[in-house]
């Protein structure tokens, strides 16, 4: 059994980690921490789990965590992990960090998008945890920077095409839509039921910090520097994320070739489902799962390639992929603990 | 392994059976049938299950079903099972029927609420599948009539109190609220998103056919004939059911006594969670689970006992309880296959 | 033209007052105030109103308000109006207060449910603004305490029956359901989209402060002291409120007699719609309107009278009824400014 | 008073026409028709309108309609109006048709997207009813083809820019999102609450029939033939539509120039609101109104111009614009009857 701790267990992402890890067949969840709720049972914070997860939240102390955990998940707002992660690594833990702090191998890029980085030395060591793409490096990583939800959803269909050089990187357009849980559990007018239940809007237009994360990974594929226009929108659903990406092909390809390319790239992985012709993803079809569903459509009139991809932002977009990365790091089947079926409805 | 078939696998209840049974550790799901979709893969009807449940739907033939199944779940609109169930029993199968057809041991009561019964002889044999209450009889039953969703939600808190004679049966009032999936998957203006998404209403006021089902079971407890006023309402949620039941106590009791009575009654069962003082159920806390959450509140001003209970109408209110009954019938732990954790959100 | 000010214009209730008053044919809206947003255009706070209501919010000063307003609406959290209202009355304004501060003619009852009252002398003067019931007193009132949303919805069907002595006051049960806007615009986990969008729960069970308000009004009808069990629930809709009230009749009545009694009581009013036999209210049918829809159903099996009533909590339950009261105070048709049609959907 | 009839009054669009026209200050609504509900009061079909719109639905007969109406709105599924509209014109009525049948001046384009046209002769006469753009022709039209909802939302921000030659027409990408009422009132699994309430998906990807409508109008501006990639999505809201359009500018422009261009183009119109820098549309802000809200954002990194526009699909996208067109045809202020304020929430 792998001994695991979750630092920051009471945000939506942290709680989702607890939910999945607590029934993972190869994991012993030894500690969950929370600044705000230390001392309380987890099920006091999330009453759904009454009589199922009544374990107590503790306050974070690096030595105490390291004593009981081989792998630590840090699910904290960005800026906090850059202080904590070096301690945990120093104590001999392996870490999957779910914040943005270790997603950029170049700390200058991080600082441009976020703020001064206090653990610059660790950035280049950290492996970007897009499981299907970087599995090999993840396997031996001491520190994984778990990808953002938008980057996960957008990169999975794009990467195989970019790797083959099929994509005109100078004209990428991505129109993305996220459910409300992407905004986290903290309260604000922006998550007030009445303000959004029958609304829909774009936000952070051209300014979202997931853009430099996406472009850095794409650039790292060695096919050039992408020009990505990225507009996120807020959908009135609890969970889920769908991205519609518009690609100019650098040379003519059939729709079926494109579909085959993506299918092959993920042939040895379980969580990417490339849909047959004529079928399209729906948030509802991936809810509660670690799947990324992908559809490919080449517009016959304009020649534009339309990639549509959907994930559950809290699972494949956060906690699920983090656990998939842990599985890879520990030599387990990547599916371990993650095979929950999607809901019928 | 128990060999299991689901007859009527493409309604919400049938599909939920397939979802749970397909990963049940002691079940081999050998056949799923559908009149409408025979020949198609299950995942064509429910695209969520693409690459996970691609097994084909077959058309129903009693012999073919009996050849491959020890236990058969019939998840069909009422009236159909009364024709099919006798055949299946005749072929040696044990049956859990999820319609109303075998919920009344007295077929006259069925006929009063529904329509002429064509398999009256089987009514008295059928065991009412309220798992926690009738586990002993269920264990040896050949035919289980699985309870309606409202009766499940309303009876679980009431039965222990009625059994002790604490309830004035002449003044029962139950105000119940169901999510939309209770209306099934067939299309109608009543389930059109635009008509209900921001609405809330009572329906079948004083005329719902679950009332005679509830009163028959309560009367069977031998404490007298209940007078139950029952008003169901429609909540704009996909799943879930919550009932608020107002009880006049037949003699004075403390709130804590009432809570203890219910807690004790279900002490040897896992799916009834009696909440501590001051906590109340929420549909959201039982979604996707087989739990029935119960809160007890004695109004100090009026002396009225308020019982609040919540279930997932498709799980504890249908497919989950049916599988719990199968577990009991087959000598398994009642929890087998049903331990999915509730969602964080 | 009546010169009108709204003190506290940026909560949902205050904003709804502004919306309706700004197009009221006999009103000049001369001032709107806000502590938090003073100096900003109203449309900065509610961007829907860009280019339609760009008037600036001001900070509250009693003399400035009185200079420009004949009638003042105070739409503030309770406790604040008890300081402000006496000032405004002293300056010669007439006031409709939408908080709880002036709903109890007996300040002791207020203090029992809320907190010490600092303007006790004004309580007995204030008229309870249930428009259809107390129109005569409202017409000449200097100060109206606008009813709570639950009391409005529950009292309208009950009052005529209690007045005739048909109701057994010792056994009243009211199961009420409110949309989320009832919780106001301030942010909290309780209004976080993800926590409630697919949930449903009871809250403040047996402890809601609208209960003493309802029982005080019923007792004032002179038929005795009511025993009211009251359980409010939260529905995942933006607006609306529906109450299901269970009544024991003190003597036998036909359903049609009951319906006729309520119909007659409101024959000279426009906003109470008593529905024909077999029709029931829906939140969706009163959204955005000042209607209270009422259905009557006598359960033939139990003899219990079921009253179902629905309002828009922000209109008939708050701003709309406040304006109806202003109309009555100023000798206008009670419908003036309030005739918006309900939405098709 | 203009005498007006609505043919097809019981779809969502027809009912919305009835709702708005019934309180239009210059309109007498003399007849409403329905095949399915002829003989019934309108409020039986839409119970919201009980006691407000109890007028009876009639069956359609051209002469009877022409006897009582100067202007007729035909709100029927496409294909039906091509039979009816010529009759009504023959009887001397002026017609605003809300189907697709008279949106294409070239019937060949219609036939390519829809089906054989049986009233080809009338296509060239019909004026495309994009009110702000074609007001002059609408003023004298006998027949107006009211635009589709997507074309209205997408064309309003684009037209002024295309007219000035600023848009590279060979690279237009439009990612559009519609609420569920766009699918109409007929029942189907696609509008079943449970299937969509927590979902989000693309549909008719690259195949939606509004694309040729948009491109035909853009081409008619004389700046060339556009290449438009168009992907519609379904949002779980009752009403509303938001389009995010990605434009390559044909020459460099400042964001402020673009904003000014659109603002000027609609300076003499009331229903287009160009938002200030940094503000973006939300479905919720235009609900129930005839507004089209537009935001302009030039992505500084990629140079792509992002146009975001939002309307209420049933108002500006259908009934509201149809009435705006009638106002223009009859020499009224275009705002007449359409000044409802948006909801606070």
């Amino acid at each position: 059994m792998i001994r695991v701790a979750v630092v920051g267990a009471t945000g939506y992402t942290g709680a989702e980690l607890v939910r999945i890890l607590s029934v993972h067949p190869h994991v012993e969840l030894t500690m969950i921490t929370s600044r705000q709720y230390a001392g309380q049972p987890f099920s006091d914070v999330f009453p759904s789990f009454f009589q199922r997860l009544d374990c107590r939240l503790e306050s974070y102390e690096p030595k105490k965590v390291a004593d009981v955990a081989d792998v630590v998940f840090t699910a904290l707002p960005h800026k906090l992990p850059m202080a904590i992660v070096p301690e945990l690594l120093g104590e001999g833990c392996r870490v999957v960090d779910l914040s943005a702090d270790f997603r950029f191998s170049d700390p200058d890029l991080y600082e441009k998008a976020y703020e001064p980085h206090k653990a610059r030395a660790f950035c280049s060591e950290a492996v970007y945890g897009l499981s299907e793409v970087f599995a090999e490096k993840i396997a031996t990583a001491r520190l994984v920077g778990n990808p953002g939800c938008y980057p996960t959803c957008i990169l999975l269909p794009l990467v195989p095409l970019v790797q083959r050089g099929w994509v005109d990187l100078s004209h990428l357009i991505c129109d993305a839509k996220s459910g409300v849980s992407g905004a986290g559990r903290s309260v604000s007018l922006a998550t007030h039921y009445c303000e959004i239940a029958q609304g829909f809007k774009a936000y952070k237009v051209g300014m979202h910090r997931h853009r430099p994360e996406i472009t850095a990974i794409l650039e790292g594929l060695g096919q050039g520097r992408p020009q990505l226009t990225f507009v996120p929108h807020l959908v009135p659903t609890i969970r889920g994320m769908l991205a519609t990406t518009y690609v100019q092909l650098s040379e003519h390809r059939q729709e079926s070739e494109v579909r085959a390319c993506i299918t092959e790239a993920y042939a040895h992985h379980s969580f990417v489902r490339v849909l047959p012709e004529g079928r399209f993803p729906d948030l509802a079809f991936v809810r509660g799962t670690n799947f990324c569903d992908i559809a490919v459509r080449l517009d016959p009139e304009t020649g534009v390639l339309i990639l549509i991809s959907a994930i559950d932002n809290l699972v494949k977009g956060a906690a699920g992929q983090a656990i998939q990365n842990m599985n890879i790091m520990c030599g387990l089947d990547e599916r371990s603990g993650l095979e929950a079926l999607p809901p019928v409805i």
Side-chain angles (χ1 to χ4, degrees), chain A:
Chain A
M1 299 294 270
I2 308 159
R3 298 175 312 146
V4 171
V6 175
V7 174
T10 55
Y12 288 144
T13 297
E16 195 74 357
L17 282 166
V18 173
R19 179 179 73 86
I20 302 174
L21 290 166
S22 68
V23 293
H24 189 295
H26 301 294
V27 161
E28 187 189 358
L29 185 58
T30 55
M31 186 178 286
I32 58 177
T33 83
S34 165
R35 281 177 302 178
Q36 192 179 352
Y37 300 103
Q40 296 185 38
F42 183 69
S43 58
D44 271 20
V45 187
F46 291 96
S48 321
F49 296 114
F50 179 60
Q51 293 183 359
R52 292 301 302 273
L53 295 173
D54 297 325
C55 45
R56 225 161 266 281
L57 293 153
E58 304 185 36
S59 55
Y60 169 77
E61 290 178 43
K63 283 212 163 34
K64 281 176 57 183
V65 171
D67 272 0
V68 299
D70 310 309
V71 177
V72 181
F73 292 91
T74 44
L76 301 164
H78 72 88
K79 190 178 174 181
L80 296 179
M82 58 174 93
I84 281 174
V85 165
E87 294 173 352
L88 291 166
L89 295 174
E91 296 287 341
C93 298
R94 298 173 82 185
V95 175
V96 180
D97 176 47
L98 289 94
S99 83
D101 286 5
F102 299 99
R103 292 179 191 160
F104 293 83
S105 57
D106 176 353
D108 291 347
L109 290 177
Y110 177 89
E111 296 192 340
K112 207 170 154 200
Y114 292 83
E115 60 189 288
H117 204 299
K118 292 170 198 146
R120 295 176 59 98
F122 294 84
C123 291
S124 61
E125 175 191 351
V127 175
Y128 189 71
L130 190 63
S131 314
E132 286 78 5
V133 174
F134 300 110
E136 232 171 288
K137 288 185 184 170
I138 293 164
T140 59
R142 197 170 62 136
L143 170 58
V144 167
N146 213 55
C149 46
Y150 285 119
T152 298
C153 190
I154 293 162
L155 287 168
L156 280 172
L158 265 183
V159 162
L161 305 176
V162 172
Q163 283 174 326
R164 294 227 192 154
W166 292 3
V167 173
D168 175 354
L169 287 169
S170 64
H171 280 96
L172 279 177
I173 287 172
C174 181
D175 189 290
K177 300 90 180 173
S178 173
V180 183
S181 59
R185 201 178 188 225
S186 36
V187 301
S188 78
L189 206 51
T191 57
H192 192 301
Y193 177 88
C194 296
E195 304 280 322
I196 54 176
Q198 289 283 312
F200 183 87
K201 65 176 177 189
Y203 67 100
K204 294 188 188 165
V205 178
M207 308 190 316
H208 198 286
R209 294 185 296 199
H210 283 174
R211 172 156 72 174
E213 183 181 331
I214 298 167
T215 53
I217 297 302
L218 288 179
E219 190 169 2
L221 301 176
Q223 303 286 333
R225 187 179 168 71
Q227 292 289 309
L228 170 67
T229 302
F230 172 50
V231 181
H233 301 74
L234 185 67
V235 191
T237 63
I238 297 173
R239 286 158 171 264
M241 167 168 287
L242 187 140
T244 312
T245 304
Y246 301 88
V247 173
Q248 306 282 350
L249 289 169
S250 53
E251 48 184 302
H252 180 68
R253 295 285 159 192
Q254 303 290 335
E255 184 179 297
S256 57
E257 282 180 284
V258 175
R259 193 176 290 113
C261 168
I262 302 174
T263 305
E264 278 165 37
Y266 301 119
H268 303 294
H269 293 278
S270 301
F271 292 122
V272 176
R273 299 192 292 192
V274 181
L275 304 186
E277 187 184 346
R279 294 246 185 118
F280 294 94
D282 188 319
L283 291 199
F285 297 162
V286 296
R287 193 160 64 227
T289 79
N290 202 46
F291 287 125
C292 177
D293 281 3
I294 296 173
V296 169
R297 169 89 183 142
L298 189 63
D299 189 323
E301 278 197 31
T302 63
V304 170
L305 175 67
I306 303 161
L307 300 171
I308 305 180
S309 48
I311 60 171
D312 183 318
N313 58 310
L314 295 181
V315 187
K316 184 61 178 170
Q321 184 157 249
I323 291 165
Q324 187 180 1
N325 287 330
M326 178 205 73
N327 288 340
I328 296 169
M329 291 162 80
C330 298
L332 302 171
D333 186 313
E334 68 171 357
R335 291 169 298 187
S336 196
L338 293 167
E339 302 198 84
L341 287 171
V344 168
I345 45 163

